[in-house]
Amino acid sequence: MIFINLPMDKKYNYLLPLLLSVMLAAGMIAGYKFNPYNKPAIVKEGGKLGEVIDMIDMAYVDSVNIEKLTENAIRQLLFELDPHSVYLTKEENIESYQDLQGNFEGIGIEFNILNDTIIVVSPISGGPSEAVGIKAGDKIIYVENELVAGKGISTTDVRKRLLGKKGTQVRIKVLRPGMKNLLEFTITRDKIPNSSIDAAFMIDKTTGYIKINRFSAQTVDEFTTKLAELVLKGMTGLILDLSGNPGGYLDAAIKIADQFLNGKKLIVYTEGRQRKRQNYYSTSSGMFTNGKLVIIIDEGSASASEILAGAIQDWDRGLIVGRRSFGKGLVQEPILLKDSSEIRLTVARYYTPSGRFIQKPYQNGVQDYYMEMYHRFSNGEVFSKDSNNFPDSLKYKTAKGRIVYGGGGIMPDIFVAVDTSANSALLSELNRKGIFPTFSLFYLDQNRQFLLKNYPDFETFNKNFQVESIRATFIQYAEKQKISVNPNQFERSKKIIYAQLKAFIARHLYGNDAFYQIINQINPEFQSAYRTIISNYLIK
């Protein structure tokens, strides 16, 4: 999802996210092309559609809610175009900008309403839904035993049911593609993270790590501040984690790319049938133009994330690690209607510097479009690089002549397969019921002072705290939550269980950086990126 910054005062464990906050109100949006110095066009009603609606209003046998009828007609029109052209009511329009600019409390998902069903586009990074294992593509069928599918629910209705005071709980039942039965989740509402930087820290004396969860209005300032801090600490190599990042403002991605590129280099260009080509270039003001750079992407990395990764790859500035990104390359323009509602219409495509158009196909309909990420699991793509087949017609070359491909996301230079070896039904249930974050709070309520006395800083905790010492307490807690702890499944998933327990406890004691320093120890994408960056790689 890409936005061009607006002049307003004020926001599958393997799939993502992510696609950003405006989808809470409008659905998945690929981008904005917007002139901040002019008001968006105001469209008047008219033509055949207006004529038909007027006739219904005057002559139909029963009374009709003309406003709702008109909105449904507009939604269906846009639905026929592409997955990213959308309509927002006045209220949804206001909410969408508030979500990008401000704070709110709720369960932390980005969603769309398709065929009268709420579909999770992405759990927000660091939010409560991500913690319990909500995945992109989940369909919400029940909220607190109320059937919400097939009932004509609106975006505002969804928000009323899912937003709420921090600490309160909501139970939802979801239908997950490939599963016959509904999955039930208990989610404790929380303040949804406003910062677009999840973590920023030094891994060793010369290697830094920054994770960006979205490209919001504050991202550039947040990123440059963290980047400068790491450079001052001696960073000569950076791992930039864009996994699960669904995108956001276009100019944020451009300005961050500018930090890595020397001189005037093309970062991205946009072009459409009625829109002339517009080029976006780097400047000479980059803060980190010479250090080693590795970017992590996956299925949830979309739009603005793909622009940044594509520019770095095309200019051979760094290496991309992970799996093929989402594949979203359409640009929207906001068009204000006279009642302050808005349509966001796809008006252009964006292209990487080598000329790659990375939008994946959507000709088979929106449902198939959203399901494509699940198809990557069924066809084996996420488990083997050899399952990724691109025709020669999609072949492009980087600045140094390396072969890259368009037509459906950014393919990484170094592929990292999904690892399911430690998965189990027990692990899934522990995640679904939110046991890890709730147990960590329970445990800290009784042991906070002891922990802080014995582990006064994160380094001491990370080195010396043994999760095995709280295994019995954790199992007892889980069983009180009506979870049957199968010993064999526990042993199979122990590595992940222990890492999550330690990471959540560390987050509450020492902050978000501590969480990622622990969880990255079992993250294969991170481990691959770290091996790459310390290997003195040379892009040829």
Side-chain angles (χ1 to χ4, degrees):
M1 166 172 50
I2 308 167
F3 301 94
I4 292 211
N5 206 349
L6 301 176
M8 303 181 67
D9 293 333
K10 296 282 171 193
K11 168 192 147 99
Y12 240 160
N13 288 347
Y14 309 116
L15 301 175
L16 271 222
L18 343 312
L19 274 132
L20 238 223
S21 300
V22 70
M23 297 175 196
L24 287 163
M28 197 163 60
I29 298 174
Y32 273 172
K33 178 147 173 81
F34 184 66
N35 182 347
Y37 301 103
N38 295 316
K39 293 182 179 180
I42 298 179
V43 174
K44 299 179 180 179
E45 294 176 354
K48 186 179 292 187
L49 177 60
E51 207 177 334
V52 171
I53 291 174
D54 287 343
M55 189 59 65
I56 293 172
D57 191 24
M58 289 187 296
Y60 188 64
V61 62
D62 294 322
S63 61
V64 177
N65 185 327
I66 292 299
E67 182 179 357
K68 185 174 182 179
L69 184 66
T70 302
E71 290 178 349
N72 288 341
I74 295 171
R75 292 184 195 277
Q76 188 60 38
L77 278 172
L78 297 175
F79 183 81
E80 294 293 326
L81 298 178
D82 65 76
H84 306 303
S85 293
V86 295
Y87 167 78
L88 288 78
T89 65
K90 177 181 178 180
E91 294 76 16
E92 292 169 347
N93 196 19
I94 294 171
E95 288 170 352
S96 73
Y97 292 122
Q98 289 175 338
D99 291 339
L100 270 177
Q101 302 290 334
N103 296 307
F104 60 95
E105 294 177 350
I107 71 169
I109 63 167
E110 296 140 7
F111 66 88
N112 199 351
I113 298 177
L114 290 175
N115 300 325
D116 232 6
T117 302
I118 307 163
I119 297 181
V120 177
V121 177
S122 171
I124 295 176
S125 178
S129 287
E130 181 189 57
V132 302
I134 297 293
K135 302 178 186 300
D138 285 348
K139 298 178 180 180
I140 300 178
I141 309 301
Y142 289 91
V143 177
E144 294 292 356
N145 292 321
E146 177 193 0
L147 181 65
V148 294
K151 294 292 185 178
I153 195 166
S154 69
T155 300
T156 300
D157 292 334
V158 176
R159 293 171 63 85
K160 287 178 179 178
R161 287 163 173 79
L162 299 184
L163 296 181
K165 188 176 180 180
K166 177 181 177 180
T168 60
Q169 291 187 329
V170 60
R171 290 176 299 138
I172 67 173
K173 294 180 182 179
V174 307
L175 181 62
R176 179 166 293 171
M179 294 189 177
K180 296 180 180 180
N181 299 321
L182 296 179
L183 301 176
E184 183 172 342
F185 296 87
T186 300
I187 308 172
T188 302
R189 295 182 179 96
D190 203 347
K191 183 176 180 179
I192 307 306
N194 185 40
S195 173
S196 55
I197 307 296
D198 280 340
F201 53 84
M202 294 296 291
I203 305 167
D204 56 35
K205 291 183 179 180
T206 60
T207 308
Y209 172 88
I210 300 178
K211 180 172 175 57
I212 307 177
N213 62 56
R214 66 190 182 276
F215 293 90
S216 71
Q218 297 83 27
T219 302
V220 174
D221 289 341
E222 293 173 351
F223 177 79
T224 53
T225 297
K226 295 298 184 181
L227 184 65
E229 290 175 356
L230 297 185
V231 169
L232 287 174
K233 291 179 179 179
M235 182 179 70
T236 59
L238 172 64
I239 296 175
L240 180 60
D241 192 345
L242 301 181
S243 60
N245 184 320
Y249 288 128
L250 172 64
D251 63 334
I254 292 171
K255 289 177 180 178
I256 291 176
D258 191 17
Q259 297 295 330
F260 304 122
L261 297 172
N262 270 316
K264 186 177 180 181
K265 288 185 170 66
L266 181 65
I267 295 174
V268 64
Y269 67 91
T270 62
E271 192 171 21
R273 182 176 63 90
Q274 296 292 336
R275 297 294 186 272
K276 293 182 179 180
R277 172 168 170 163
Q278 184 167 352
N279 299 324
Y280 299 86
Y281 293 97
S282 63
T283 67
S284 58
S285 60
M287 191 188 309
F288 195 73
T289 58
N290 295 313
K292 293 184 291 185
L293 177 63
V294 173
I295 296 180
I296 301 174
I297 62 171
D298 64 7
E299 303 83 5
S301 307
S303 220
S305 294
E306 295 170 301
I307 286 176
L308 176 52
I312 297 304
Q313 188 177 53
D314 282 3
W315 286 109
D316 297 300
R317 170 62 185 87
L319 292 176
I320 313 300
V321 171
R323 293 180 297 279
R324 180 166 66 94
S325 62
F326 184 90
K328 192 143 79 74
L330 300 177
V331 181
Q332 275 68 56
E333 181 174 273
I335 303 174
L336 188 66
L337 307 182
K338 65 180 183 181
D339 64 349
S340 296
S341 61
E342 185 176 282
I343 65 172
R344 296 175 178 176
L345 186 67
T346 297
V347 297
R349 301 177 176 91
Y350 73 76
Y351 301 83
T352 72
S354 66
R356 284 186 287 170
F357 176 51
I358 64 163
Q359 175 66 46
K360 63 184 180 182
Y362 53 85
Q363 288 76 13
N364 293 329
V366 174
Q367 183 71 16
D368 184 78
Y369 184 79
Y370 283 115
M371 287 295 295
E372 189 271 341
M373 285 199 292
Y374 286 94
H375 297 333
R376 299 187 194 187
F377 280 76
S378 61
N379 66 22
E381 176 186 329
V382 299
F383 303 108
S384 172
K385 181 179 181 180
D386 295 337
S387 297
N388 293 271
N389 296 312
F390 296 93
D392 287 344
S393 60
L394 298 177
K395 185 181 295 186
Y396 294 82
K397 290 186 177 181
T398 69
K400 292 185 176 181
R402 295 188 303 134
I403 301 298
V404 291
Y405 294 91
I410 301 294
M411 187 65 193
D413 302 299
I414 301 171
F415 176 82
V416 181
V418 166
D419 182 7
T420 60
S421 61
N423 289 359
S424 68
L426 172 62
L427 179 62
S428 296
E429 187 175 13
L430 290 169
N431 280 317
R432 285 201 313 272
K433 295 188 176 180
I435 299 302
F436 294 109
T438 58
F439 171 79
S440 66
L441 290 172
F442 163 80
Y443 180 73
L444 283 168
D445 281 344
Q446 300 177 343
N447 299 279
R448 186 182 297 272
Q449 296 305 318
F450 169 83
L451 290 169
L452 289 174
K453 179 180 179 180
N454 288 274
Y455 312 104
D457 52 54
F458 170 70
E459 290 72 20
T460 304
F461 176 87
N462 190 33
K463 180 179 179 180
N464 296 322
F465 181 77
Q466 300 299 316
V467 183
E468 184 68 33
S469 65
I470 63 172
R471 173 174 176 157
T473 306
F474 174 71
I475 291 175
Q476 185 180 37
Y477 179 89
E479 289 178 338
K480 284 185 178 181
Q481 310 307 312
K482 299 181 180 180
I483 295 176
S484 177
V485 180
N486 181 291
N488 293 331
Q489 292 185 18
F490 191 98
E491 288 303 314
R492 178 177 180 178
S493 301
K494 185 170 71 172
K495 179 179 69 173
I496 298 177
I497 292 172
Y498 278 15
Q500 290 197 70
L501 281 172
K502 189 172 182 177
F504 275 106
I505 293 171
R507 170 181 275 167
H508 292 299
L509 288 174
Y510 312 106
N512 224 31
D513 285 359
F515 177 90
Y516 282 96
Q517 289 184 69
I518 292 173
I519 214 69
N520 280 344
Q521 295 171 18
I522 62 166
N523 181 340
E525 292 81 18
F526 171 84
Q527 295 298 325
S528 178
Y530 186 56
R531 287 193 300 269
T532 300
I533 208 162
I534 64 175
S535 67
N536 295 317
Y537 72 81
L538 180 64
I539 301 175
K540 299 180 180 180

